[in-house]
């Protein structure tokens, strides 16, 4: 069954009014300043550590330092190799072009040869010999 709904009368105290809210305490200004100073000190400590790490990483710059000469030599050698490779690619391209033109010429000649052979009435030496033999019989 459903509970009965009753209306509240003035004699009954309100539930919300009977619960007293606790008043928030006033913030302690000195404690706040001390916490802020502690946090600032921690931030400064971490910043110094970060700066020292950045400085350490900056020393390992490959363009500076003890290995710079070796690195520069390797970079120059890499550039030479790239230039050499591009030259080889170009020469290889010329060879491929020449090969393609020769292949085209061969196929053209083969097609011409087939066309000439198609025009011939005799395909082999035996056929020519047979034709000569027939002509001689006719005479």
């Amino acid at each position: 069954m459903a509970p009965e709904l009753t209306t509240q009368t003035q004699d009954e105290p309100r539930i919300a009014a009977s619960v007293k809210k606790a008043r928030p305490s006033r913030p302690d200004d000195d404690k706040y300043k001390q916490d802020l100073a502690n946090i600032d000190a921690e931030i400064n400590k971490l910043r110094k550590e970060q700066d020292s790490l950045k400085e350490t990483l900056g020393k390992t710059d490959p363009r500076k330092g003890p290995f710079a000469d070796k690195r520069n030599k390797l970079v120059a050698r890499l550039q030479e190799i790239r230039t050499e490779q591009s030259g080889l690619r170009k020469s290889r391209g010329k060879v491929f072009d020449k090969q393609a033109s020769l292949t085209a010429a061969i196929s053209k000649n083969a097609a011409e040869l087939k066309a000439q052979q198609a025009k011939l009435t005799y395909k082999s030496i035996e056929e020519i010999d047979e034709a000569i033999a027939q002509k001689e019989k006719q005479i």
Side-chain angles (χ1 to χ4, degrees), residues 10-69:
Q10 290 181 350
D11 297 335
E12 298 175 14
R14 293 188 153 210
I15 296 173
S18 66
V19 177
K20 289 191 174 184
K21 291 186 179 178
R23 183 174 185 149
S25 62
R26 185 175 200 110
D28 187 9
D29 196 29
D30 293 333
K31 184 176 184 299
Y32 170 75
K33 287 180 182 179
Q34 184 180 4
D35 288 343
L36 188 61
N38 290 340
I39 291 172
D40 285 340
E42 182 70 22
I43 289 173
N44 288 334
K45 182 180 114 181
L46 291 174
R47 279 193 182 148
K48 286 179 184 177
E49 185 180 344
Q50 182 183 22
D51 291 340
S52 69
L53 290 174
K54 280 185 180 179
E55 185 177 320
T56 309
L57 289 176
K59 288 180 183 176
T60 60
D61 187 12
R63 292 169 286 185
K64 300 175 186 172
F67 300 109
D69 293 336

Side-chain angles (χ1 to χ4, degrees), residues 2-16:
E4 292 185 17
L5 296 176
T6 58
T7 58
Q8 188 176 15
T9 61
Q10 290 181 350
D11 297 335
E12 298 175 14
R14 293 188 153 210
I15 296 173

